[in-house]
Amino acid sequence: MRLFGIIGYPLSHSFSKPYFHNKFAKENITDAEYHVFPIENINDIKTIINKPELLGLSVTIPHKQAVIPFLDEVDETALKIGAVNCIKISHHNNKLHLKGFNTDCIGFEESLKPLLKPYHTQALILGTGGASKAVAYVLNKLNIEFLFVSRTKSADTITYDELNKESIAHNLLIVNTTPLGMYPKVNFAPLLPYQYLTEKHLLYDLIYNPAETEFLKQGKLYNATTYNGEKMLHLQAEAAWEIWND
Ligand code: NAP
C-alpha cells in the first residue's frame, strides 16, 4: 500500500482527505491511502516521515514555511516563494529524501489565466500571509503589477484606508488572500470601497468555503466578475498527485 497524507493544524475541516478518497475510488486506484496527520508542532514531522510506505505529504497552515528546514531539497519555485505545500518522499540507498514543492502557485496560475482580460495589468493582493506569496509569484510571472494591501503599513504595503476611487479604478484585478469571510465567520469581508468596482473588475477569492464569500457578493453587486478558490484547490491537489507519482 502506498501512503500519502497531510500535515497541518487543525485539520478537522481538511478538504484533502475526502478529495483523495473520492479520487482513489473514482479512478480505481486501489493501492493508495491518504491519511490526516494533525501536528501542532512541526518537529513532530520526524515521527511521521519514517513510515516506509509514505511517499508524499501535503502541507497546510501553519507549517508551509516552518517545514523548509526539515527538507533535503526545495524546488526552485518553492524556494523563490518561500513556502512549501507539497513534499515528495523518496528513498535513495535506504536513505530518506524529502523534496519540497509549491503547488498553490500552479493552482492559482492555471485557474486565473482563463479569466484574464488584456486590461488586467494591475492588481491588489489583500493580505501578506503565506498564500499571498504564491499569488505574488504568479502575478510577477504573468507581468501583472501588484500592490499588497495590509492592516499594517510598511515599505511594501498600503493599508485599507488608503484605498480610494482612483486606486480601485487603477487595479482591475483584486485577489483576497486574507481569511476574512471564511466559514464560520461568513459575514466578514476585507474593508474595500466596493462602490467603485465596475464590470471590468475581476475579484478572485482564495477562500472556497463558502463558495460565495461576502467579498464576492459585494463584487457581484457592482457587476464585477467573481471567482472562488475551489478550482485552485483542486488543481494544487492534482499537481501534488503528479509530483508524487513522477
Ligand atoms: P495566513 O498566513 O494566515 O495569512 C493571511 C493574511 O491575511 C495575513 O497575513 C494578514 O495580512 C491577513 N489577515 C489575517 N487576518 C485578518 C483580518 N482579521 N483582517 C484583515 N486581514 C487579515 O493565511 P494563508 O495561508 O496566507 O491563507 C489565506 C487564505 O487563503 C485562507 O483562507 C486559506 O484557506 C486560503 N487558501 C486557499 C488556497 C486554495 O487552494 N484555494 C490555498 C492556500 C490558501 P496582514 O497582516 O498583512 O493584514
Side-chain angles (χ1 to χ4, degrees):
M1 192 56 77
R2 300 183 300 143
L3 182 61
F4 304 90
I6 181 164
I7 58 167
Y9 197 86
L11 286 177
S12 41
H13 290 102
S14 166
F15 138 92
S16 300
K17 189 175 177 182
Y19 182 83
F20 280 105
H21 191 90
N22 285 339
K23 177 182 170 67
F24 296 161
K26 218 167 55 197
E27 297 177 19
N28 203 18
I29 299 167
T30 53
D31 68 336
E33 278 180 14
Y34 193 94
H35 289 193
V36 172
F37 302 106
I39 54 168
E40 205 166 354
N41 187 327
I42 189 60
N43 282 308
D44 293 340
I45 190 178
K46 293 180 200 154
T47 61
I48 297 164
I49 52 179
N50 283 326
K51 296 180 198 306
E53 65 279 24
L54 186 68
L55 301 179
L57 282 173
S58 311
V59 182
T60 189
I61 294 174
H63 302 317
K64 289 185 188 183
Q65 283 154 288
V67 76
I68 293 177
F70 294 84
L71 306 175
D72 301 296
E73 194 183 350
V74 180
D75 148 88
E76 202 184 316
T77 302
L79 206 56
K80 276 188 193 150
I81 294 170
V84 161
N85 74 314
C86 166
I87 302 172
K88 183 181 171 78
I89 303 171
S90 48
H91 300 86
H92 296 308
N93 303 325
N94 280 335
K95 238 188 122 226
L96 208 57
H97 185 87
L98 307 184
K99 181 168 179 181
F101 296 85
N102 188 299
T103 64
D104 281 338
C105 66
I106 300 173
F108 180 64
E109 180 175 357
E110 294 310 313
S111 56
L112 176 70
K113 274 202 299 205
L115 308 171
L116 290 174
K117 298 276 189 287
Y119 47 80
H120 290 128
T121 54
Q122 314 268 351
L124 295 174
I125 302 177
L126 313 180
T128 60
S132 78
K133 294 186 172 65
V135 167
Y137 172 85
V138 170
L139 296 188
N140 234 332
K141 190 174 163 195
L142 299 175
N143 285 321
I144 297 173
E145 284 178 27
F146 57 85
L147 279 174
F148 283 108
V149 186
S150 169
R151 293 167 298 176
T152 320
K153 177 95 179 144
S154 78
D156 305 319
T157 59
I158 61 166
T159 51
Y160 291 91
D161 55 7
E162 290 181 75
L163 294 172
N164 53 28
K165 188 173 182 180
E166 201 189 339
S167 51
I168 296 295
H170 191 63
N171 295 288
L172 293 176
L173 170 61
I174 305 179
V175 186
N176 178 36
T177 78
T178 79
L180 284 172
M182 194 162 73
Y183 179 83
K185 295 182 173 175
V186 297
N187 292 328
F188 290 85
L191 289 171
L192 304 184
Y194 290 97
Q195 69 273 23
Y196 301 130
L197 293 172
T198 64
E199 73 285 350
K200 281 193 164 180
H201 280 88
L202 169 57
L203 266 56
Y204 190 124
D205 201 331
L206 263 57
I207 295 172
Y208 46 88
N209 183 15
E212 190 171 68
T213 55
E214 191 55 36
F215 169 69
L216 296 184
K217 279 185 189 156
Q218 289 290 325
K220 252 191 186 166
L221 206 57
Y222 296 98
N223 300 317
T225 300
T226 59
Y227 201 78
N228 70 28
E230 193 180 358
K231 184 82 179 166
M232 171 174 170
L233 197 66
H234 292 182
L235 289 168
Q236 65 78 26
E238 286 304 317
W241 182 245
E242 271 180 36
I243 288 168
W244 297 332
N245 286 280
D246 188 20

